Amino acid sequence: MVDISFVLNVVFYRSESDNEPVREWLKELPREDRRQIGEDIKTVQIGWPLGMPLIRKINKDLWEVRTALVSGIARVFFAVDGDYMILLHGFIKKSQKTPQNELKKALARLGNYKRGKK
């Protein structure tokens, strides 16, 4: 058996109402889509830091995992805090450009996460 060492540990962002939006979103997806997204997240955990085409930096504190699915393009926004990968927001892209409302959700959750650490 191969012992894999992870550079990052995955943590789901938890809202003030105790919801985990990314976990809930993943549960709604078909099994194969969840598997593919999970494999890409695992690749990030093992190989961090990574770049395109799997990872794109959005701003100073926000990145996205980019997964091509049969049903579209999945994006999972995340932040890195020490050796933790905080999964903030996930969605399926339907257009070339990332919708601003999806980005705003991720940034709001990032802000909430940072405020909660103080």
Side-chain angles (χ1 to χ4, degrees), residues 8 57 64 93:
L8 297 175
K57 188 169 185 170
E64 68 178 358
K93 261 177 76 164

Side-chain angles (χ1 to χ4, degrees), residues 63-113:
W63 289 264
E64 68 178 358
V65 178
R66 306 154 51 92
T67 303
L69 304 171
V70 173
S71 59
I73 303 165
R75 295 289 186 256
V76 178
F77 287 114
F78 70 96
V80 174
D81 185 10
D83 59 353
Y84 290 94
M85 176 183 190
I86 298 92
L87 305 182
L88 300 165
H89 181 59
F91 68 101
I92 303 290
K93 261 177 76 164
K94 296 186 174 37
S95 64
Q96 192 69 23
K97 197 166 162 83
T98 299
Q100 283 301 304
N101 65 323
E102 304 291 0
L103 181 57
K104 285 178 184 176
K105 284 180 193 175
L107 289 170
R109 290 174 184 164
L110 177 59
N112 291 342
Y113 172 80

Side-chain angles (χ1 to χ4, degrees), residues 13-32:
Y13 165 81
R14 187 178 294 261
S15 70
E16 290 176 12
S17 57
D18 230 20
N19 295 341
E20 293 177 327
V22 176
R23 187 185 305 266
E24 292 164 12
W25 170 72
L26 286 168
K27 286 180 179 179
E28 294 173 4
L29 296 176
R31 185 176 183 189
E32 181 58 24

Side-chain angles (χ1 to χ4, degrees), residues 28-55:
E28 294 173 4
L29 296 176
R31 185 176 183 189
E32 181 58 24
D33 290 357
R34 284 194 312 264
R35 189 196 65 72
Q36 283 184 267
I37 294 166
E39 284 293 320
D40 285 346
I41 289 171
K42 185 175 175 182
T43 299
V44 176
Q45 283 185 271
I46 295 167
W48 183 257
L50 297 169
M52 291 289 278
L54 182 61
I55 300 296

